[in-house]
Amino acid sequence: MNKSEANDYTIEAMQMSNLKHGGNIYSNAKKFNLLPSEIIDASASLVPFDPPQILIDSLNSEIKNLGFRYYPERNLSDLKEIIGKFHGINPDNILPGNGASELITWAGYEASKFGINIIPAPCFVDYERSLNCWNSNFIHCELPKNWNNIFPQTFPLHPKGDVIWITNPHNPTGQLWEKNSLEEIIKKYKLVICDEAFLSITPNGEKESLIPLTKKYDNLLVLRSLTKIFNIPGLRLGYVVGSSKKLKQWEINRDPWPLNSFAIKAGIDILSNQKFYGRWIKQIHSWINIEKKRVCEKLSKIKNLKVHNSSTNFFLIESGTSLSPNIRYLENKRILIRECTSFKYLDEKWARISLQSRKNNSLLCKEIQNSFKK
Ligand SMILES: Cc1ncc(COP(=O)(O)O)c(C=O)c1O
């Protein structure tokens, strides 16, 4: 897309882009006159359990101490310090953000300093939003539509361009990319933005993280989110790891207080307790391994439905015909799955499903099976 086309990105298009995300639970609850908790939301790929007690305690203590009466610390030094310790990275190379989404916006700012951005697709829609904010040029490159069940996989594309946006594991396909193949990519582009929003949630994912490579490559930015793994989309907490020079510039340009005091406190308390973190992650990985196998086996039995392999807590299904009637049927049963027409190179024959609790997965599978009988 060139700059003048990007300028045509009207307010209407921006409003539409809100609908491109999954997790529209409030608007759906309103539509069906339900509470959000009465809906099974398999359209947003979050851990379906209550957030850990340590996080609730952290938020309660912020209320008790009236910590929100003060402006949060501007330079976020305590949180940077904790994240730095957590990853073995200098705090100067870390910038916390209001979810990974805010940092995607700033990554777009960095990308706008170069020529052509490559977006492997289908992909998370927010990269495009960010690049449009800064009038940047970008092209989509199509990822192969079939892949095996062995993860990690070699990153399959090396298109010509200046900047590349990688998602590891990839959203919406759930492919986990192998670190060595990504290092080859880092050597070829002026800037590599690697979004690891789902990496901690992914069994065996952490080994493929590019965070250690930020010490070696100045042209690498790695984005992280705490949203998925702790089920805290409403808190807004993420961070980026990369060149301190770049991040300093973002700090100068961004809002003065992008993170609220609750998110800061929660981030510090969660990430400073490595013992708790290790236990939580182990539990989540075990849930994914067990439930993914069970759900995928059940859905694979449906005639004309292909279940695509995934390394993580969401996966794609592909039907021989449109899945729109199935999605509407499920909505009437208070179940949301992610329709895929807003993903480049996918259409109404595709949908993305995220894993739920065991009980809700059983219900989800049963209703998906029923939706094909209608
Ligand atoms: C690949 C990817 N990156 C980033 C995000 C945004 O994460 P956050 O909630 O931290 O803004 C999402 C949300 O769905 C995502 O799918």
Side-chain angles (χ1 to χ4, degrees), residues 99-101 104 124 127 167 171 195 197-198 225 227-228 236:
S101 305
I104 287 171
F124 183 47
Y127 311 143
T167 320
N171 180 6
D195 178 351
F198 285 96
S225 170
T227 293
K228 326 289 177 187
R236 315 303 306 131

Side-chain angles (χ1 to χ4, degrees), residues 36-51:
S37 57
E38 292 174 300
I39 292 176
I40 299 177
D41 185 6
S43 72
S45 305
L46 301 159
V47 163
F49 311 119
D50 286 342

Side-chain angles (χ1 to χ4, degrees), residues 21-22 44-46 97-104 123-127 167-171 195-198 223-228 232-234 236-239 314 352:
H21 290 273
S45 305
L46 301 159
N98 192 259
S101 305
E102 191 223 356
L103 300 165
I104 287 171
C123 71
F124 183 47
V125 289
D126 233 29
Y127 311 143
T167 320
N168 201 23
H170 195 76
N171 180 6
D195 178 351
E196 298 186 350
F198 285 96
L223 303 165
R224 285 283 184 130
S225 170
L226 273 73
T227 293
K228 326 289 177 187
I232 48 169
R236 315 303 306 131
L237 185 55
Y239 51 93
F314 56 83
R352 193 192 64 198

Side-chain angles (χ1 to χ4, degrees), residues 271-321:
L271 295 178
S272 58
N273 191 335
Q274 299 250 6
K275 220 168 160 188
F276 148 75
Y277 186 91
R279 271 201 316 270
W280 179 264
I281 292 280
K282 209 168 152 196
Q283 228 173 294
I284 300 301
H285 290 176
S286 152
W287 156 72
I288 291 178
N289 284 333
I290 294 167
E291 287 303 302
K292 188 167 45 147
K293 185 163 182 288
R294 206 171 72 84
V295 170
C296 291
E297 271 173 15
K298 278 185 194 231
L299 296 184
S300 298
K301 291 191 183 130
I302 298 174
K303 208 172 148 219
N304 275 335
L305 190 75
K306 180 170 167 127
V307 178
H308 286 268
N309 303 311
S310 167
S311 66
T312 192
N313 65 324
F314 56 83
F315 58 89
L316 284 171
I317 55 172
E318 182 187 4
S319 170
T321 53

